[in-house]
Amino acid sequence: MTKFIFVTGGVVSGLGKGITAASLGRLLKARGLKVAAQKLDPYINVDPGTMSPYQHGEVYVTEDGAETDLDLGHYERFIDEDLNKFSNLTTGKVYATVIEKERKGEYLGNTVQTIPHVTNVIKEFIYSVGKKTGADVVITEIGGTTGDIESQPFLEAIRQVGHEVTKENSLYIHVTLVPYLRASGEHKSKPTQHSVKELQGMGISPDIIVLRTDEQIEDENIARKISSFCNVKPDCVIENVTIPVLYEAPLMLEEQKISDIVCRELHIDAPKADMTEWKQMVDRVKSSKNEVTIALVGKYVQLHDAYLSVAEALRHAGYEYSTKVKIEWIDSETINEENYKDILSSVDGILVPGGFGNRGIEGKILAAKFARENNVPYLGICLGMQIAVIEYARNVIGWKDADSNEFNDLSTHKVIDFMPGQYDDIDKGGTLRLGSYPCHILEGSVMEKCYGSSLINERHRHRYEFNNTYRDEFVKAGLVLSGTSPDGRLVETVEIPGNDFFVGVQYHPEFKSRPTRPHPLFKGLINAAFNKRYN
């Protein structure tokens, strides 16, 4: 029978429940188990697709086109399993499902209530991911903090799941904060005790408590006190201290035998975790002696989580070359004609990521111009590719008003326009080109050199496309259309052949990068940046 692990959080938000869940998933997979992961988010949005990146960080896109929480990126990067639409559930999606059922008369005239109707939808979702994937273990993270009003239906649902599948097939892990008071020089366990009491009041008694702390807990009495007051076994109190390298987390937790404990509590007979490849990757990170600087020119740089997968993909590529990647977070709104050369002159590479809206666009165009004119390695992702096309049209072809229909519908050269069949007043939610699509790569291109293949599949999240009306003019002017949809209808990638590395892609390669398997395009960018700096 599928085993179910539920990860909850207490005291404050942002403790790293997702990293704890992802790390455990990696360890269980390393023991030969098939692992699936999912996130239950209590906000009422149907999905994060229409939310500002400042609100919730990046929107992570799965292979099947689901717009999901950024924690799913952690799951995929750590566990290295592709997730799907059953991996992220929100309160909004739950209520939408319940109301749809009620409108169809599926409740047979009953009064629709939180229990059992709302909780039943949540439980069906939890069970479905195991059925769809055939997983031995399903790890479910509950968003928010224990005690939040909006989390209560989810906590009740996972309580019911634990009762239905029985104790030996379910496990509850509670991640809490143990603050360090510098004035008295001691850690405090009381917040954890109160948080566990709150959780127990919902009918859930955690089996394992993970203590998040910035300072190592020297006092052994803290763990003993938490074990005694919170009614968990002494070895089930696990310390999770802040570490300099994110990917050390599984190794740190395994030093405290967390996967042994989980297998013991769930009656799983599995071999010891083989983390050899993971340890080698971490060793490369720690031994990195070289450094390259990449300018990430975006409009949401005040919140780094808005570009979480991009930043991680850059670091993954650095690991491959035992090189530390220093990211210069540059707000594109601060770049103008007077300062762009000074701002960008010291970097080894430039990356322009995705985004929506016209704010900061001119600064991004100047970044692409600087990269093109000075042979600085450039990778444009989604909007970053469109920016490269607009810049080329303005400054190489000479169409000074060239633009995207998204930014200027009065332009006489809309080199970027709606996808065929779409229109301006379309609903914003779930109507983008989403998920994995194939791309045919031009023989002899930089793209082919990076991928080593003529056909690839990558994840998309966009509405606007390269305007085919101007395709011939761009080709005549020297821009290489190096990747297209297999039918040749959509331009997927562009590159400038005279530069060492200047590539723009309409898709989001960052979503498929892994710490032990960096994405080919990010490897291409970092390799070119390394050669620029050291050769």
Side-chain angles (χ1 to χ4, degrees):
M1 183 177 181
T2 300
K3 307 288 185 177
F4 294 89
I5 299 174
F6 300 102
V7 180
T8 57
V11 186
V12 295
S13 61
L15 286 177
K17 297 189 302 295
I19 297 298
T20 300
S23 297
L24 178 58
R26 181 74 197 192
L27 292 167
L28 294 177
K29 182 181 180 181
R31 298 183 75 122
L33 300 170
K34 184 169 178 55
V35 179
Q38 62 181 184
K39 173 83 179 288
L40 309 184
D41 277 306
Y43 49 74
I44 301 178
N45 304 67
V46 172
D47 59 47
T50 58
M51 294 168 66
S52 165
Y54 288 128
Q55 290 282 315
H56 215 66
E58 75 173 4
V59 175
Y60 192 83
V61 179
T62 58
E63 284 284 298
D64 60 356
E67 294 178 287
T68 69
D69 181 80
L70 59 79
D71 274 322
L72 270 69
H74 290 313
Y75 303 160
E76 285 204 350
R77 285 187 286 272
F78 277 73
I79 305 172
D80 199 8
E81 294 285 346
D82 288 339
L83 303 180
N84 53 49
K85 63 183 180 181
F86 297 104
S87 301
N88 195 202
L89 181 68
T90 68
T91 296
K93 196 177 291 183
V94 172
Y95 287 157
T97 302
V98 170
I99 291 170
E100 183 182 7
K101 286 175 178 285
E102 186 272 334
R103 293 289 85 187
K104 290 180 178 179
E106 292 186 23
Y107 294 124
L108 302 176
N110 287 323
T111 301
V112 180
Q113 298 176 292
T114 302
I115 302 172
H117 303 104
V118 169
T119 52
N120 280 350
V121 169
I122 298 170
K123 288 193 297 179
E124 287 168 10
F125 190 87
I126 292 170
Y127 290 134
S128 68
V129 72
K131 293 175 183 176
K132 293 288 182 181
T133 61
D136 299 310
V137 180
V138 174
I139 301 175
T140 303
E141 177 193 350
I142 313 301
T145 306
T146 300
D148 294 344
I149 292 174
E150 56 266 33
S151 297
Q152 290 180 5
F154 291 105
L155 294 176
E156 171 58 20
I158 68 172
R159 184 198 67 79
Q160 292 180 24
V161 170
H163 176 72
E164 291 168 5
V165 304
T166 72
K167 177 66 177 173
E168 69 176 20
N169 294 312
S170 60
L171 183 82
Y172 298 94
I173 299 176
H174 195 52
V175 182
T176 72
L177 177 69
V178 178
Y180 179 75
L181 299 185
R182 294 192 181 280
S184 58
E186 59 183 343
H187 286 90
K188 290 294 184 181
S189 66
K190 192 64 70 177
T192 294
Q193 295 175 45
H194 282 300
S195 181
V196 171
K197 184 179 179 181
E198 182 82 33
L199 190 60
Q200 290 170 336
M202 297 293 296
I204 298 171
S205 292
D207 302 288
I208 297 174
I209 297 175
V210 176
L211 310 179
R212 277 290 289 118
T213 175
D214 283 332
E215 309 273 350
Q216 193 148 10
I217 301 174
E218 305 288 351
D219 186 356
E220 295 180 0
N221 288 324
I222 295 289
R224 280 198 291 266
K225 186 185 292 186
I226 290 172
S227 169
S228 177
F229 279 86
C230 299
N231 199 29
V232 298
K233 298 172 183 176
D235 66 347
C236 290
V237 180
I238 306 290
E239 185 178 336
N240 185 349
V241 67
T242 301
I243 45 180
V245 179
L246 178 67
Y247 299 107
E248 282 188 89
L251 304 177
M252 175 185 62
L253 293 174
E254 188 63 354
E255 284 179 3
Q256 300 170 76
K257 304 186 184 304
I258 190 170
S259 72
D260 285 344
I261 294 166
V262 167
C263 288
R264 180 191 73 200
E265 297 299 309
L266 287 174
H267 306 279
I268 295 173
D269 184 14
K272 291 287 186 182
D274 181 3
M275 297 292 285
T276 304
E277 183 185 27
W278 199 266
K279 288 177 181 175
Q280 290 172 347
M281 177 267 295
V282 172
D283 288 342
R284 286 198 302 273
V285 177
K286 290 184 172 181
S287 63
S288 297
K289 294 182 173 62
N290 299 313
E291 180 180 277
V292 295
T293 300
I294 304 296
L296 195 156
V297 183
K299 58 170 69 176
Y300 313 118
V301 295
Q302 289 84 352
L303 181 67
H304 292 181
D305 274 359
Y307 302 112
L308 179 60
S309 291
V310 172
E312 289 304 312
L314 286 170
R315 296 182 183 112
H316 298 166
Y319 302 162
E320 182 78 3
Y321 299 108
S322 297
T323 297
K324 181 181 178 182
V325 177
K326 178 184 177 184
I327 300 175
E328 287 283 351
W329 300 87
I330 299 176
D331 186 343
S332 59
E333 282 195 285
T334 66
I335 299 178
N336 55 51
E337 286 282 358
E338 286 70 40
N339 64 18
Y340 79 98
K341 294 179 181 178
D342 290 335
I343 290 175
L344 298 170
S345 61
S346 62
V347 303
D348 305 307
I350 295 172
L351 188 149
V352 177
F356 296 90
N358 61 5
R359 181 173 60 83
I361 290 301
E362 295 303 320
K364 293 185 177 186
I365 291 173
L366 287 170
K369 178 184 179 183
F370 183 85
R372 178 181 59 80
E373 292 181 341
N374 295 279
N375 195 17
V376 175
Y378 177 92
L379 177 60
I381 296 174
C382 196
L383 176 61
M385 171 196 142
Q386 298 173 4
I387 290 295
V389 170
I390 294 169
E391 191 280 325
Y392 202 88
R394 289 184 184 180
N395 300 314
V396 177
I397 299 179
W399 300 330
K400 294 304 180 184
D401 74 333
D403 219 323
S404 167
N405 190 26
E406 182 182 7
F407 313 137
N408 180 13
D409 61 2
L410 298 178
S411 169
T412 61
H413 293 91
K414 296 175 186 173
V415 294
I416 305 295
D417 209 343
F418 280 120
M419 295 194 308
Q422 290 197 335
Y423 48 92
D424 198 13
D425 60 350
I426 195 168
D427 287 342
K428 297 295 185 253
T431 58
L432 302 167
R433 188 181 186 212
L434 292 164
S436 182
Y437 288 90
C439 171
H440 180 266
I441 297 176
L442 183 67
E443 185 178 353
S445 63
V446 173
M447 284 283 295
E448 186 187 48
K449 181 180 178 183
C450 287
Y451 281 93
S453 174
S454 61
L455 186 67
I456 60 171
N457 285 272
E458 291 283 2
R459 302 180 193 180
H460 294 64
R461 183 177 183 251
H462 64 100
R463 176 168 287 119
Y464 293 85
E465 294 275 3
F466 182 100
N467 190 340
N468 284 326
T469 302
Y470 303 103
R471 187 183 286 204
D472 290 343
E473 285 90 338
F474 274 104
V475 172
K476 288 175 184 175
L479 188 68
V480 174
L481 310 184
S482 55
T484 62
S485 55
D487 61 6
R489 184 164 152 264
L490 301 175
V491 174
E492 293 275 16
T493 75
V494 300
E495 55 189 67
I496 297 176
N499 288 40
D500 293 334
F501 188 92
F502 191 106
V503 176
V505 297
Q506 186 59 77
Y507 50 80
H508 288 267
E510 68 270 24
F511 294 146
K512 297 185 77 168
S513 183
R514 306 289 180 259
T516 55
R517 193 162 39 84
H519 191 281
L521 287 180
F522 285 88
K523 286 171 60 178
L525 175 67
I526 297 304
N527 184 49
F530 182 91
N531 289 334
K532 178 180 182 297
R533 179 159 188 167
Y534 292 103
N535 294 335

